Amino acid sequence: LDHIRIPVDYNLVEDEQGNYWEKGFSYIEKGVCWAIKYGMNAALDLHKTFGYSFDAGEKEEGFFENSGYQERFYRLWEQFARRFGKYSNHLAFELLNEVTDKKYCDAWNRISNECIEKIRKICPDIKILVGGYYNNSIEALKDLRWPVDENIVYNFHCYEPLIFTHQGAY
């Protein structure tokens, strides 16, 4: 094992109005530092953003249609870049966990590219992971835009056989 994934929901680091909580950022930094201390790299994965969660039970909706929610997403990633960009030799950013529906493909390509541009102004060399629709399925990779630089990593999630990968999951 040489990598860990640190899933983070937006509400660990910000309240409903978008005000930041230092305590949440400090939890993330501790996790990154522990990984480095023990010889591992990490991916900071935004698992849920304001207005979107891959889990319908969270009732987060509107992200792909609402430019205000998207601006909030960009600002959060700029915060992550300012705070954690110094760890670029050991840390990667995963923009958003598991876009669920193919209908979001065009919006996601636009949003992810804009977010990458904003991160690049702060962290020109950090690795950025981008996945596609159908919960980061391999099928969706063909519909992602070409990488804008050599530090973009397209990722996919493989859940087959589901009985093995989701043992005990509802």
Side-chain angles (χ1 to χ4, degrees), residues 29-60:
E29 186 146 26
K30 284 178 188 176
V32 171
C33 289
W34 286 335
I36 294 167
K37 178 180 176 181
Y38 293 105
M40 293 188 287
N41 294 309
L44 177 58
D45 161 47
L46 188 59
H47 228 62
K48 178 173 76 170
T49 191
F50 190 80
Y52 180 76
S53 173
F54 70 100
D55 180 356
E58 295 282 331
K59 303 205 183 320
E60 294 280 351

PDB file of all heavy atoms in Angstrom, residues 29-60:
ATOM      1  N   GLU A  29      -5.390  18.330   6.722  1.00  0.00           N
ATOM      2  CA  GLU A  29      -3.937  18.489   6.738  1.00  0.00           C
ATOM      3  C   GLU A  29      -3.276  17.418   7.599  1.00  0.00           C
ATOM      4  O   GLU A  29      -2.239  16.867   7.232  1.00  0.00           O
ATOM      5  CB  GLU A  29      -3.531  19.880   7.213  1.00  0.00           C
ATOM      6  CG  GLU A  29      -2.033  20.097   7.102  1.00  0.00           C
ATOM      7  CD  GLU A  29      -1.661  21.504   6.752  1.00  0.00           C
ATOM      8  OE1 GLU A  29      -2.437  22.429   7.049  1.00  0.00           O
ATOM      9  OE2 GLU A  29      -0.574  21.677   6.185  1.00  0.00           O
ATOM     10  N   LYS A  30      -3.879  17.083   8.732  1.00  0.00           N
ATOM     11  CA  LYS A  30      -3.333  16.008   9.566  1.00  0.00           C
ATOM     12  C   LYS A  30      -3.293  14.698   8.790  1.00  0.00           C
ATOM     13  O   LYS A  30      -2.306  13.964   8.846  1.00  0.00           O
ATOM     14  CB  LYS A  30      -4.166  15.827  10.836  1.00  0.00           C
ATOM     15  CG  LYS A  30      -3.934  16.884  11.878  1.00  0.00           C
ATOM     16  CD  LYS A  30      -4.836  16.649  13.082  1.00  0.00           C
ATOM     17  CE  LYS A  30      -4.754  17.819  14.040  1.00  0.00           C
ATOM     18  NZ  LYS A  30      -5.683  17.684  15.167  1.00  0.00           N
ATOM     19  N   GLY A  31      -4.365  14.400   8.080  1.00  0.00           N
ATOM     20  CA  GLY A  31      -4.409  13.171   7.288  1.00  0.00           C
ATOM     21  C   GLY A  31      -3.325  13.134   6.229  1.00  0.00           C
ATOM     22  O   GLY A  31      -2.649  12.108   6.049  1.00  0.00           O
ATOM     23  N   VAL A  32      -3.142  14.244   5.524  1.00  0.00           N
ATOM     24  CA  VAL A  32      -2.096  14.320   4.493  1.00  0.00           C
ATOM     25  C   VAL A  32      -0.720  14.154   5.136  1.00  0.00           C
ATOM     26  O   VAL A  32       0.116  13.386   4.643  1.00  0.00           O
ATOM     27  CB  VAL A  32      -2.197  15.646   3.713  1.00  0.00           C
ATOM     28  CG1 VAL A  32      -0.998  15.825   2.796  1.00  0.00           C
ATOM     29  CG2 VAL A  32      -3.501  15.712   2.920  1.00  0.00           C
ATOM     30  N   CYS A  33      -0.491  14.831   6.235  1.00  0.00           N
ATOM     31  CA  CYS A  33       0.820  14.745   6.904  1.00  0.00           C
ATOM     32  C   CYS A  33       1.088  13.348   7.452  1.00  0.00           C
ATOM     33  O   CYS A  33       2.224  12.863   7.385  1.00  0.00           O
ATOM     34  CB  CYS A  33       0.920  15.795   8.002  1.00  0.00           C
ATOM     35  SG  CYS A  33       1.050  17.480   7.358  1.00  0.00           S
ATOM     36  N   TRP A  34       0.074  12.691   7.978  1.00  0.00           N
ATOM     37  CA  TRP A  34       0.261  11.315   8.457  1.00  0.00           C
ATOM     38  C   TRP A  34       0.626  10.394   7.300  1.00  0.00           C
ATOM     39  O   TRP A  34       1.485   9.532   7.426  1.00  0.00           O
ATOM     40  CB  TRP A  34      -0.991  10.791   9.155  1.00  0.00           C
ATOM     41  CG  TRP A  34      -1.237  11.368  10.513  1.00  0.00           C
ATOM     42  CD1 TRP A  34      -0.306  11.889  11.375  1.00  0.00           C
ATOM     43  CD2 TRP A  34      -2.492  11.482  11.170  1.00  0.00           C
ATOM     44  NE1 TRP A  34      -0.924  12.324  12.521  1.00  0.00           N
ATOM     45  CE2 TRP A  34      -2.267  12.086  12.429  1.00  0.00           C
ATOM     46  CE3 TRP A  34      -3.789  11.149  10.821  1.00  0.00           C
ATOM     47  CZ2 TRP A  34      -3.289  12.338  13.330  1.00  0.00           C
ATOM     48  CZ3 TRP A  34      -4.818  11.401  11.717  1.00  0.00           C
ATOM     49  CH2 TRP A  34      -4.557  11.990  12.958  1.00  0.00           C
ATOM     50  N   ALA A  35      -0.060  10.568   6.172  1.00  0.00           N
ATOM     51  CA  ALA A  35       0.255   9.746   4.995  1.00  0.00           C
ATOM     52  C   ALA A  35       1.720   9.928   4.607  1.00  0.00           C
ATOM     53  O   ALA A  35       2.453   8.948   4.413  1.00  0.00           O
ATOM     54  CB  ALA A  35      -0.662  10.104   3.828  1.00  0.00           C
ATOM     55  N   ILE A  36       2.156  11.165   4.521  1.00  0.00           N
ATOM     56  CA  ILE A  36       3.541  11.448   4.135  1.00  0.00           C
ATOM     57  C   ILE A  36       4.502  10.867   5.166  1.00  0.00           C
ATOM     58  O   ILE A  36       5.504  10.230   4.813  1.00  0.00           O
ATOM     59  CB  ILE A  36       3.752  12.966   3.954  1.00  0.00           C
ATOM     60  CG1 ILE A  36       2.935  13.465   2.759  1.00  0.00           C
ATOM     61  CG2 ILE A  36       5.233  13.287   3.783  1.00  0.00           C
ATOM     62  CD1 ILE A  36       2.825  14.975   2.666  1.00  0.00           C
ATOM     63  N   LYS A  37       4.205  11.059   6.440  1.00  0.00           N
ATOM     64  CA  LYS A  37       5.061  10.548   7.515  1.00  0.00           C
ATOM     65  C   LYS A  37       5.288   9.042   7.387  1.00  0.00           C
ATOM     66  O   LYS A  37       6.381   8.549   7.658  1.00  0.00           O
ATOM     67  CB  LYS A  37       4.419  10.858   8.877  1.00  0.00           C
ATOM     68  CG  LYS A  37       5.202  10.331  10.065  1.00  0.00           C
ATOM     69  CD  LYS A  37       4.500  10.682  11.372  1.00  0.00           C
ATOM     70  CE  LYS A  37       5.234  10.084  12.557  1.00  0.00           C
ATOM     71  NZ  LYS A  37       4.557  10.399  13.825  1.00  0.00           N
ATOM     72  N   TYR A  38       4.250   8.323   6.954  1.00  0.00           N
ATOM     73  CA  TYR A  38       4.351   6.867   6.859  1.00  0.00           C
ATOM     74  C   TYR A  38       4.632   6.381   5.441  1.00  0.00           C
ATOM     75  O   TYR A  38       4.382   5.223   5.108  1.00  0.00           O
ATOM     76  CB  TYR A  38       3.094   6.218   7.453  1.00  0.00           C
ATOM     77  CG  TYR A  38       3.043   6.460   8.944  1.00  0.00           C
ATOM     78  CD1 TYR A  38       2.169   7.397   9.486  1.00  0.00           C
ATOM     79  CD2 TYR A  38       3.911   5.787   9.809  1.00  0.00           C
ATOM     80  CE1 TYR A  38       2.152   7.651  10.847  1.00  0.00           C
ATOM     81  CE2 TYR A  38       3.895   6.038  11.173  1.00  0.00           C
ATOM     82  CZ  TYR A  38       3.014   6.966  11.687  1.00  0.00           C
ATOM     83  OH  TYR A  38       3.010   7.215  13.042  1.00  0.00           O
ATOM     84  N   GLY A  39       5.181   7.276   4.613  1.00  0.00           N
ATOM     85  CA  GLY A  39       5.657   6.887   3.297  1.00  0.00           C
ATOM     86  C   GLY A  39       4.577   6.655   2.257  1.00  0.00           C
ATOM     87  O   GLY A  39       4.797   5.929   1.282  1.00  0.00           O
ATOM     88  N   MET A  40       3.424   7.276   2.441  1.00  0.00           N
ATOM     89  CA  MET A  40       2.342   7.108   1.472  1.00  0.00           C
ATOM     90  C   MET A  40       2.018   8.435   0.796  1.00  0.00           C
ATOM     91  O   MET A  40       2.301   9.501   1.325  1.00  0.00           O
ATOM     92  CB  MET A  40       1.086   6.571   2.160  1.00  0.00           C
ATOM     93  CG  MET A  40       1.247   5.166   2.684  1.00  0.00           C
ATOM     94  SD  MET A  40      -0.292   4.466   3.281  1.00  0.00           S
ATOM     95  CE  MET A  40      -0.528   5.376   4.800  1.00  0.00           C
ATOM     96  N   ASN A  41       1.417   8.327  -0.366  1.00  0.00           N
ATOM     97  CA  ASN A  41       0.858   9.482  -1.053  1.00  0.00           C
ATOM     98  C   ASN A  41      -0.643   9.468  -0.816  1.00  0.00           C
ATOM     99  O   ASN A  41      -1.198   8.469  -0.370  1.00  0.00           O
ATOM    100  CB  ASN A  41       1.171   9.402  -2.549  1.00  0.00           C
ATOM    101  CG  ASN A  41       2.659   9.524  -2.793  1.00  0.00           C
ATOM    102  OD1 ASN A  41       3.310  10.437  -2.316  1.00  0.00           O
ATOM    103  ND2 ASN A  41       3.208   8.576  -3.535  1.00  0.00           N
ATOM    104  N   ALA A  42      -1.303  10.587  -1.134  1.00  0.00           N
ATOM    105  CA  ALA A  42      -2.733  10.680  -0.873  1.00  0.00           C
ATOM    106  C   ALA A  42      -3.442  11.372  -2.028  1.00  0.00           C
ATOM    107  O   ALA A  42      -2.853  12.179  -2.752  1.00  0.00           O
ATOM    108  CB  ALA A  42      -2.982  11.455   0.422  1.00  0.00           C
ATOM    109  N   ALA A  43      -4.706  11.043  -2.177  1.00  0.00           N
ATOM    110  CA  ALA A  43      -5.602  11.758  -3.087  1.00  0.00           C
ATOM    111  C   ALA A  43      -6.679  12.411  -2.236  1.00  0.00           C
ATOM    112  O   ALA A  43      -7.364  11.731  -1.466  1.00  0.00           O
ATOM    113  CB  ALA A  43      -6.225  10.806  -4.096  1.00  0.00           C
ATOM    114  N   LEU A  44      -6.783  13.711  -2.339  1.00  0.00           N
ATOM    115  CA  LEU A  44      -7.841  14.451  -1.664  1.00  0.00           C
ATOM    116  C   LEU A  44      -9.052  14.439  -2.591  1.00  0.00           C
ATOM    117  O   LEU A  44      -9.031  15.026  -3.671  1.00  0.00           O
ATOM    118  CB  LEU A  44      -7.401  15.883  -1.370  1.00  0.00           C
ATOM    119  CG  LEU A  44      -8.435  16.794  -0.724  1.00  0.00           C
ATOM    120  CD1 LEU A  44      -8.919  16.227   0.601  1.00  0.00           C
ATOM    121  CD2 LEU A  44      -7.864  18.187  -0.537  1.00  0.00           C
ATOM    122  N   ASP A  45     -10.083  13.709  -2.199  1.00  0.00           N
ATOM    123  CA  ASP A  45     -11.251  13.455  -3.029  1.00  0.00           C
ATOM    124  C   ASP A  45     -12.450  14.221  -2.492  1.00  0.00           C
ATOM    125  O   ASP A  45     -12.906  13.942  -1.379  1.00  0.00           O
ATOM    126  CB  ASP A  45     -11.523  11.941  -3.028  1.00  0.00           C
ATOM    127  CG  ASP A  45     -12.928  11.582  -3.458  1.00  0.00           C
ATOM    128  OD1 ASP A  45     -13.386  12.121  -4.480  1.00  0.00           O
ATOM    129  OD2 ASP A  45     -13.571  10.775  -2.766  1.00  0.00           O
ATOM    130  N   LEU A  46     -12.951  15.183  -3.272  1.00  0.00           N
ATOM    131  CA  LEU A  46     -14.176  15.871  -2.873  1.00  0.00           C
ATOM    132  C   LEU A  46     -15.339  14.927  -3.163  1.00  0.00           C
ATOM    133  O   LEU A  46     -15.724  14.717  -4.306  1.00  0.00           O
ATOM    134  CB  LEU A  46     -14.345  17.200  -3.613  1.00  0.00           C
ATOM    135  CG  LEU A  46     -15.491  18.072  -3.112  1.00  0.00           C
ATOM    136  CD1 LEU A  46     -15.341  18.423  -1.629  1.00  0.00           C
ATOM    137  CD2 LEU A  46     -15.598  19.339  -3.939  1.00  0.00           C
ATOM    138  N   HIS A  47     -15.850  14.335  -2.120  1.00  0.00           N
ATOM    139  CA  HIS A  47     -16.864  13.302  -2.237  1.00  0.00           C
ATOM    140  C   HIS A  47     -18.259  13.887  -2.426  1.00  0.00           C
ATOM    141  O   HIS A  47     -19.122  13.265  -3.031  1.00  0.00           O
ATOM    142  CB  HIS A  47     -16.822  12.416  -0.983  1.00  0.00           C
ATOM    143  CG  HIS A  47     -16.822  10.968  -1.273  1.00  0.00           C
ATOM    144  ND1 HIS A  47     -15.824  10.343  -1.970  1.00  0.00           N
ATOM    145  CD2 HIS A  47     -17.714  10.007  -0.966  1.00  0.00           C
ATOM    146  CE1 HIS A  47     -16.096   9.053  -2.070  1.00  0.00           C
ATOM    147  NE2 HIS A  47     -17.244   8.832  -1.478  1.00  0.00           N
ATOM    148  N   LYS A  48     -18.472  15.068  -1.881  1.00  0.00           N
ATOM    149  CA  LYS A  48     -19.764  15.743  -1.988  1.00  0.00           C
ATOM    150  C   LYS A  48     -19.496  17.238  -2.019  1.00  0.00           C
ATOM    151  O   LYS A  48     -18.720  17.745  -1.203  1.00  0.00           O
ATOM    152  CB  LYS A  48     -20.638  15.366  -0.789  1.00  0.00           C
ATOM    153  CG  LYS A  48     -21.987  16.031  -0.762  1.00  0.00           C
ATOM    154  CD  LYS A  48     -22.893  15.493   0.346  1.00  0.00           C
ATOM    155  CE  LYS A  48     -22.532  16.003   1.703  1.00  0.00           C
ATOM    156  NZ  LYS A  48     -23.542  15.684   2.732  1.00  0.00           N
ATOM    157  N   THR A  49     -20.122  17.940  -2.953  1.00  0.00           N
ATOM    158  CA  THR A  49     -20.012  19.392  -3.011  1.00  0.00           C
ATOM    159  C   THR A  49     -21.409  19.985  -2.809  1.00  0.00           C
ATOM    160  O   THR A  49     -22.414  19.277  -2.948  1.00  0.00           O
ATOM    161  CB  THR A  49     -19.394  19.860  -4.344  1.00  0.00           C
ATOM    162  OG1 THR A  49     -19.083  21.249  -4.249  1.00  0.00           O
ATOM    163  CG2 THR A  49     -20.310  19.613  -5.534  1.00  0.00           C
ATOM    164  N   PHE A  50     -21.471  21.243  -2.482  1.00  0.00           N
ATOM    165  CA  PHE A  50     -22.774  21.881  -2.275  1.00  0.00           C
ATOM    166  C   PHE A  50     -23.602  21.732  -3.553  1.00  0.00           C
ATOM    167  O   PHE A  50     -23.185  22.147  -4.627  1.00  0.00           O
ATOM    168  CB  PHE A  50     -22.596  23.361  -1.918  1.00  0.00           C
ATOM    169  CG  PHE A  50     -23.863  24.014  -1.466  1.00  0.00           C
ATOM    170  CD1 PHE A  50     -24.305  23.844  -0.166  1.00  0.00           C
ATOM    171  CD2 PHE A  50     -24.627  24.772  -2.337  1.00  0.00           C
ATOM    172  CE1 PHE A  50     -25.490  24.439   0.266  1.00  0.00           C
ATOM    173  CE2 PHE A  50     -25.799  25.371  -1.922  1.00  0.00           C
ATOM    174  CZ  PHE A  50     -26.230  25.196  -0.616  1.00  0.00           C
ATOM    175  N   GLY A  51     -24.754  21.066  -3.434  1.00  0.00           N
ATOM    176  CA  GLY A  51     -25.622  20.857  -4.581  1.00  0.00           C
ATOM    177  C   GLY A  51     -25.402  19.549  -5.312  1.00  0.00           C
ATOM    178  O   GLY A  51     -26.090  19.263  -6.288  1.00  0.00           O
ATOM    179  N   TYR A  52     -24.457  18.713  -4.858  1.00  0.00           N
ATOM    180  CA  TYR A  52     -24.255  17.421  -5.524  1.00  0.00           C
ATOM    181  C   TYR A  52     -23.668  16.378  -4.580  1.00  0.00           C
ATOM    182  O   TYR A  52     -22.679  16.629  -3.894  1.00  0.00           O
ATOM    183  CB  TYR A  52     -23.321  17.520  -6.731  1.00  0.00           C
ATOM    184  CG  TYR A  52     -23.148  16.159  -7.361  1.00  0.00           C
ATOM    185  CD1 TYR A  52     -24.156  15.610  -8.134  1.00  0.00           C
ATOM    186  CD2 TYR A  52     -22.032  15.388  -7.099  1.00  0.00           C
ATOM    187  CE1 TYR A  52     -24.047  14.326  -8.654  1.00  0.00           C
ATOM    188  CE2 TYR A  52     -21.912  14.109  -7.609  1.00  0.00           C
ATOM    189  CZ  TYR A  52     -22.924  13.590  -8.387  1.00  0.00           C
ATOM    190  OH  TYR A  52     -22.829  12.327  -8.872  1.00  0.00           O
ATOM    191  N   SER A  53     -24.276  15.203  -4.624  1.00  0.00           N
ATOM    192  CA  SER A  53     -23.722  14.004  -4.009  1.00  0.00           C
ATOM    193  C   SER A  53     -24.086  12.837  -4.900  1.00  0.00           C
ATOM    194  O   SER A  53     -25.189  12.791  -5.459  1.00  0.00           O
ATOM    195  CB  SER A  53     -24.300  13.783  -2.609  1.00  0.00           C
ATOM    196  OG  SER A  53     -23.877  12.532  -2.101  1.00  0.00           O
ATOM    197  N   PHE A  54     -23.159  11.898  -5.043  1.00  0.00           N
ATOM    198  CA  PHE A  54     -23.447  10.694  -5.827  1.00  0.00           C
ATOM    199  C   PHE A  54     -24.526   9.857  -5.155  1.00  0.00           C
ATOM    200  O   PHE A  54     -25.146   9.006  -5.791  1.00  0.00           O
ATOM    201  CB  PHE A  54     -22.174   9.865  -6.033  1.00  0.00           C
ATOM    202  CG  PHE A  54     -21.682   9.201  -4.780  1.00  0.00           C
ATOM    203  CD1 PHE A  54     -21.943   7.866  -4.540  1.00  0.00           C
ATOM    204  CD2 PHE A  54     -20.967   9.920  -3.830  1.00  0.00           C
ATOM    205  CE1 PHE A  54     -21.507   7.256  -3.370  1.00  0.00           C
ATOM    206  CE2 PHE A  54     -20.525   9.320  -2.676  1.00  0.00           C
ATOM    207  CZ  PHE A  54     -20.794   7.983  -2.439  1.00  0.00           C
ATOM    208  N   ASP A  55     -24.767  10.090  -3.883  1.00  0.00           N
ATOM    209  CA  ASP A  55     -25.757   9.352  -3.108  1.00  0.00           C
ATOM    210  C   ASP A  55     -27.064  10.153  -3.076  1.00  0.00           C
ATOM    211  O   ASP A  55     -27.149  11.189  -2.412  1.00  0.00           O
ATOM    212  CB  ASP A  55     -25.231   9.124  -1.694  1.00  0.00           C
ATOM    213  CG  ASP A  55     -26.183   8.352  -0.806  1.00  0.00           C
ATOM    214  OD1 ASP A  55     -27.307   8.026  -1.237  1.00  0.00           O
ATOM    215  OD2 ASP A  55     -25.797   8.071   0.347  1.00  0.00           O
ATOM    216  N   ALA A  56     -28.068   9.678  -3.794  1.00  0.00           N
ATOM    217  CA  ALA A  56     -29.352  10.402  -3.881  1.00  0.00           C
ATOM    218  C   ALA A  56     -29.972  10.632  -2.505  1.00  0.00           C
ATOM    219  O   ALA A  56     -30.718  11.589  -2.305  1.00  0.00           O
ATOM    220  CB  ALA A  56     -30.321   9.641  -4.776  1.00  0.00           C
ATOM    221  N   GLY A  57     -29.659   9.778  -1.540  1.00  0.00           N
ATOM    222  CA  GLY A  57     -30.186   9.928  -0.196  1.00  0.00           C
ATOM    223  C   GLY A  57     -29.729  11.200   0.498  1.00  0.00           C
ATOM    224  O   GLY A  57     -30.336  11.640   1.471  1.00  0.00           O
ATOM    225  N   GLU A  58     -28.657  11.801   0.009  1.00  0.00           N
ATOM    226  CA  GLU A  58     -28.148  13.050   0.583  1.00  0.00           C
ATOM    227  C   GLU A  58     -29.007  14.251   0.203  1.00  0.00           C
ATOM    228  O   GLU A  58     -28.873  15.317   0.779  1.00  0.00           O
ATOM    229  CB  GLU A  58     -26.700  13.296   0.124  1.00  0.00           C
ATOM    230  CG  GLU A  58     -25.721  12.267   0.618  1.00  0.00           C
ATOM    231  CD  GLU A  58     -25.340  12.484   2.061  1.00  0.00           C
ATOM    232  OE1 GLU A  58     -25.358  13.634   2.530  1.00  0.00           O
ATOM    233  OE2 GLU A  58     -25.004  11.490   2.718  1.00  0.00           O
ATOM    234  N   LYS A  59     -29.817  14.093  -0.827  1.00  0.00           N
ATOM    235  CA  LYS A  59     -30.711  15.152  -1.312  1.00  0.00           C
ATOM    236  C   LYS A  59     -29.970  16.441  -1.684  1.00  0.00           C
ATOM    237  O   LYS A  59     -30.456  17.551  -1.468  1.00  0.00           O
ATOM    238  CB  LYS A  59     -31.818  15.433  -0.309  1.00  0.00           C
ATOM    239  CG  LYS A  59     -32.646  14.199   0.015  1.00  0.00           C
ATOM    240  CD  LYS A  59     -34.020  14.553   0.490  1.00  0.00           C
ATOM    241  CE  LYS A  59     -34.860  13.381   0.905  1.00  0.00           C
ATOM    242  NZ  LYS A  59     -34.833  12.198   0.167  1.00  0.00           N
ATOM    243  N   GLU A  60     -28.778  16.272  -2.234  1.00  0.00           N
ATOM    244  CA  GLU A  60     -28.010  17.404  -2.754  1.00  0.00           C
ATOM    245  C   GLU A  60     -28.302  17.475  -4.250  1.00  0.00           C
ATOM    246  O   GLU A  60     -28.042  16.526  -4.985  1.00  0.00           O
ATOM    247  CB  GLU A  60     -26.507  17.188  -2.530  1.00  0.00           C
ATOM    248  CG  GLU A  60     -26.085  17.179  -1.080  1.00  0.00           C
ATOM    249  CD  GLU A  60     -25.935  18.568  -0.484  1.00  0.00           C
ATOM    250  OE1 GLU A  60     -25.995  19.574  -1.208  1.00  0.00           O
ATOM    251  OE2 GLU A  60     -25.753  18.643   0.746  1.00  0.00           O
TER     252      GLU A  60
END
